[in-house]
Amino acid sequence: CLKEGYGDTSNLCHAVRSMSIPMTLYYLNKGQSPKLIWGHRQMFPLYLAAKNGHISMLRLLLQKGADPNQKLFDGRTAMHRCAQYGHLEMIDVLKQAGGDINAQTTRYKETPLHFAAEVKNEMTIGFLIKLGANWEITNSDGLTFYEILKEPECLPSQMVIVPAV
């Protein structure tokens, strides 16, 4: 971890970065916190599991007490990361664990729905709305997710998104 720029060299840090379930379970059972924060970006295990699309690690960390609403320094949550990369099953697991589907980042006030809209992921957008995401929330520029989708330089011509009412 230190070699990769992280200041904390805890064993849990190493286990989570390597996405090793047995090592992670060992260190969690030894009492290391699943809410551990390290590095200048204040990374935490649940976010790393989301970043890597590792559903088993995500489930393990939640089972061991990870906070589904823990935030990075800029307010992003694991839910934001999953929405950005289209990890639908992980979104569902986080939601069931109490994850806030409408969590907003600190500076830009973006929700997971905004993140999905920025990458034009139709399936994720539909899934988030189905799970109860509020499509009327605006970001710091006053834009809803739908207004982000309508930006002509980003919207594929064949894609039509209609927000659920």
Side-chain angles (χ1 to χ4, degrees), residues 69-132:
N69 293 306
Q70 189 171 359
K71 296 182 177 195
L72 291 177
F73 69 99
D74 62 0
R76 284 179 291 158
T77 64
M79 185 81 73
H80 284 92
R81 188 65 177 205
C82 291
Q84 184 177 16
Y85 287 93
H87 300 310
L88 302 184
E89 186 177 0
M90 294 177 88
I91 291 169
D92 192 39
V93 169
L94 287 166
K95 174 83 167 118
Q96 289 178 29
D100 184 358
I101 203 152
N102 294 310
Q104 291 183 280
T105 59
T106 308
R107 184 173 181 189
Y108 297 109
K109 306 297 181 202
E110 294 175 307
T111 65
L113 196 51
H114 286 102
F115 274 57
E118 287 170 5
V119 295
K120 312 303 180 219
N121 190 325
E122 299 176 63
M123 191 174 289
T124 303
I125 290 167
F127 190 68
L128 288 166
I129 290 172
K130 179 182 174 190
L131 289 179

Side-chain angles (χ1 to χ4, degrees), residues 44-81:
F44 53 93
L46 198 64
Y47 189 83
L48 286 173
K51 178 180 178 183
N52 293 324
H54 200 308
I55 186 75
S56 299
M57 181 67 78
L58 184 98
R59 289 180 195 273
L60 172 65
L61 292 167
L62 288 168
Q63 179 186 19
K64 293 294 185 175
D67 178 359
N69 293 306
Q70 189 171 359
K71 296 182 177 195
L72 291 177
F73 69 99
D74 62 0
R76 284 179 291 158
T77 64
M79 185 81 73
H80 284 92
R81 188 65 177 205

Side-chain angles (χ1 to χ4, degrees), residues 136-150:
E136 295 178 325
I137 295 175
T138 58
N139 63 14
S140 61
D141 292 328
L143 301 174
T144 64
F145 92 94
Y146 188 66
E147 291 166 322
I148 291 170
L149 281 174
K150 291 192 309 185

Side-chain angles (χ1 to χ4, degrees), residues 31-50:
Q32 292 192 16
S33 174
K35 299 175 187 175
L36 176 72
I37 295 174
W38 69 87
H40 69 282
R41 301 185 109 191
Q42 298 179 343
M43 289 287 203
F44 53 93
L46 198 64
Y47 189 83
L48 286 173

